[in-house]
Amino acid sequence: SGEVECRAASENRLTFTSPDRLPENFLRELAVESKAGGFSLWVKVLECVPEPMGARFEVVAQPFALAGELRQRWVAVALGAVKAA
């Protein structure tokens, strides 16, 4: 799978673009890059629709199995600019 680009993030939702169509309920690991360092995060795809005028897909996903330090790291970057791969 190719690089994805975050469009919006909150504690419980993540919207990103992907070059690949992802089926609903698909689990995908994302590598998150932030000012505080990088980490991996699993997300569950809730919706995936083609972008108008483009060859990419807009994906709405939910962070999956977040707990402890990983959850704290995600919440810390969820409202900032996040780049995922």
Side-chain angles (χ1 to χ4, degrees):
S1 294
E3 186 172 297
V4 302
E5 181 180 327
C6 183
R7 291 247 173 107
S10 70
E11 183 176 344
N12 298 311
R13 291 284 187 275
L14 174 64
T15 302
F16 59 90
T17 63
S18 171
D20 305 312
R21 179 184 294 273
L22 303 176
E24 287 185 20
N25 297 315
F26 182 75
L27 292 178
R28 183 171 193 300
E29 185 175 20
L30 299 178
V32 178
E33 299 173 14
S34 74
K35 293 176 185 174
F39 59 95
S40 292
L41 170 76
W42 284 93
V43 297
K44 177 181 174 183
V45 174
L46 303 175
E47 181 180 15
C48 181
V49 295
E51 286 191 316
M53 309 288 295
R56 294 179 66 84
F57 297 89
E58 183 173 276
V59 180
V60 177
Q62 178 178 11
F64 182 78
L66 282 184
E69 182 183 338
L70 180 58
R71 180 174 183 75
Q72 291 174 356
R73 292 181 80 181
W74 170 248
V75 170
V77 299
L79 298 179
V82 177
K83 183 179 177 182

